[in-house]
Amino acid sequence: MNRKFILVISALIITLALVLTACNNGNNCKHTFSDKWSCDEEYHWRAATCEHKEEYADKSRHTFIDGVCNICRYKTALDFALSDDGLSYVVTGVDVKSVGVTVTIPESYNGKNVTAVGRGAFSGCESMLAVAVPPTVVSFGENAFEKCNKLEGVYIKDISAWCRIGFTGLYSNPLYFAGKLYLNGVSVNNLVLPQDVVSIGNSAFSGCTSINKIIFPDSVKTIGSLAFRGCVNLEEAVIPSGVTSIGDGAFSGCSKLRSVELRCEIEMISNSLFAGCINLGRVILPDSVKYIGNSAFYGCSDLTELVLPRTIMEIGSRALDGCGKLDRLYFKGSLNDWQNVDVSEYADLTVYVYSDEKPVGSGNFWHYVDGAPVVW
């Protein structure tokens, strides 16, 4: 009897041990989950109560009704207002006392998409370190992030949607303060724009310090004003042939920009386009360019070679101011053509005209050697 009793007890102990360790048996694991919700600003879920704390169940985004998630009862710190057309919602403000260090703008509110951030909505929100922007948002109001000086990161999930956002001035873009952009949690260093991007909005990447290279698709037609202003780690840019317009100051303040290749057929180098690009050494303008805008190359202190097409008609005010190393201009036309160019502010610069073959007589002439302008 004693032996049978011991065997029964031993069997029970082994069975109990197997039950208690079931969560460690791979495919046979039967996780258990809390009946209470866990949440952050974007999601709610049921946390595991077994040994596998990394597991979760029923994870989904909040669905806000009048500021409260109708599933987990999480209360947002954001304020909303119905848009003028009644089809979507606008973020109008934030409760600075209850907002967390990471602010997540929801995709929907009261069953409608959140499509805009209103004027001054986050102004002065100094506790905010990061903001997550959904692809439903298409516009940011003036000064939306003014004085958000502690911002460190902007998190997005769709780069094409980001390019389409309409920003109202620099302070409306959180990147101006944060500097770093994250796409699906990964820092954007090499910015590869998808083929569906046709236009890059004004100030879209202004102040983005994480970008060091941009790859534009052939689909891009327009680059907005200040689109890449202050991208201080950007080193090179190749503008594809399909681009027809580049806005004012689009690459201004890109202090590490060394190389720009303009394959596009634009008629104007816009105002302040490359102002403050202190490491830019050579620029060859497309044959389609007629005008160089005001302050276009202002402060490009390392610029030594500027090749102008025969089509050029005017060099704007202060366009070459601060270009201390630029003592000559390379012109693809003839001396007679040059007489028709309005360059009153820079009449003292030596002009070299293009010649395929070495000229017999005297004069200032140049030609290409391995893609670079060289004086005969």
Side-chain angles (χ1 to χ4, degrees):
M1 287 292 293
N2 289 338
R3 185 178 180 185
K4 289 184 178 180
F5 178 77
I6 292 172
L7 289 174
V8 170
I9 294 299
S10 298
L12 288 173
I13 291 173
I14 293 171
T15 302
L16 180 61
L18 290 173
V19 170
L20 291 175
T21 59
C23 244
N24 294 317
N25 289 336
N27 295 333
N28 296 322
C29 178
K30 294 183 179 179
H31 300 300
T32 57
F33 300 96
S34 173
D35 58 354
K36 295 181 179 180
W37 290 104
S38 297
C39 62
D40 57 21
E41 289 200 342
E42 186 174 5
Y43 295 98
H44 52 246
W45 63 92
R46 297 190 187 278
T49 55
C50 58
E51 292 182 2
H52 295 96
K53 301 302 182 184
E54 73 279 5
E55 298 293 334
Y56 55 84
D58 303 326
K59 184 174 182 178
S60 62
R61 285 191 176 90
H62 297 304
T63 52
F64 290 108
I65 304 296
D66 295 330
V68 179
C69 177
N70 67 344
I71 295 176
C72 71
R73 310 310 295 169
Y74 172 83
K75 184 178 180 180
T76 179
L78 305 182
D79 298 323
F80 298 85
L82 195 62
S83 63
D84 292 339
D85 60 11
L87 299 177
S88 61
Y89 274 88
V90 179
V91 178
T92 58
V94 60
D95 182 353
V96 294
K97 294 182 179 180
S98 61
V99 70
V101 294
T102 298
V103 173
T104 300
I105 299 171
E107 290 190 7
S108 63
Y109 185 82
N110 285 356
K112 300 180 186 293
N113 281 348
V114 175
T115 59
V117 176
R119 179 177 181 178
F122 294 97
S123 180
C125 188
E126 296 183 359
S127 63
M128 181 168 54
L129 301 181
V131 60
V133 181
T136 55
V137 172
V138 296
S139 69
F140 282 78
E142 186 178 2
N143 299 325
F145 291 89
E146 185 181 21
K147 297 181 180 179
C148 293
N149 299 318
K150 293 183 180 180
L151 263 179
E152 297 176 353
V154 177
Y155 293 79
I156 64 173
K157 296 178 179 179
D158 187 334
I159 202 75
S160 298
W162 183 261
C163 289
R164 292 192 293 268
I165 292 178
F167 294 101
T168 313
L170 293 175
Y171 294 167
S172 69
N173 190 339
L175 269 179
Y176 178 83
F177 299 96
K180 294 182 179 180
L181 180 67
Y182 296 86
L183 177 62
N184 295 317
V186 179
S187 178
V188 178
N189 302 122
N190 289 343
L191 176 60
V192 181
L193 298 174
Q195 285 292 335
D196 62 344
V197 174
V198 176
S199 179
I200 301 169
N202 296 343
S203 303
F205 298 93
S206 180
C208 187
T209 59
S210 59
I211 295 175
N212 53 48
K213 185 178 181 180
I214 306 170
I215 299 178
F216 294 94
D218 292 336
S219 57
V220 172
K221 303 299 181 186
T222 61
I223 299 173
S225 298
L226 306 175
F228 298 97
R229 174 205 168 275
C231 292
V232 295
N233 288 308
L234 178 64
E235 297 182 0
E236 60 181 73
V238 178
I239 312 301
S241 60
V243 171
T244 58
S245 173
I246 306 176
D248 291 351
F251 292 92
S252 60
C254 294
S255 54
K256 287 188 179 179
L257 187 64
R258 297 177 291 101
S259 171
V260 173
E261 186 176 347
L262 298 169
R263 298 177 179 175
C264 51
E265 295 185 359
I266 53 176
E267 289 193 357
M268 181 172 183
I269 301 299
S270 60
N271 298 330
S272 303
L273 179 57
F274 298 109
C277 294
I278 59 176
N279 278 295
L280 193 59
R282 175 199 301 162
V283 178
I284 299 176
L285 300 184
D287 290 339
S288 55
V289 171
K290 295 180 180 179
Y291 305 97
I292 297 177
N294 298 336
S295 302
F297 296 96
Y298 182 89
C300 292
S301 53
D302 257 12
L303 186 64
T304 58
E305 299 174 0
L306 180 61
V307 178
L308 306 177
R310 184 174 184 174
T311 53
I312 197 75
M313 298 174 64
E314 181 180 350
I315 299 178
S317 176
R318 308 189 73 184
L320 304 177
D321 281 16
C323 300
K325 295 182 180 180
L326 186 68
D327 60 359
R328 64 185 64 173
L329 296 173
Y330 297 96
F331 181 54
K332 288 185 177 180
S334 66
L335 284 175
N336 287 335
D337 294 328
W338 184 252
Q339 303 308 312
N340 297 319
V341 182
D342 183 359
V343 289
S344 55
E345 290 188 23
Y346 304 103
D348 57 334
L349 287 177
T350 302
V351 177
Y352 288 77
V353 295
Y354 184 77
S355 176
D356 276 328
E357 299 179 355
K358 187 175 182 178
V360 176
S362 61
N364 298 324
F365 300 94
W366 69 280
H367 63 133
Y368 281 116
V369 177
D370 296 328
V374 176
V375 173
W376 278 110

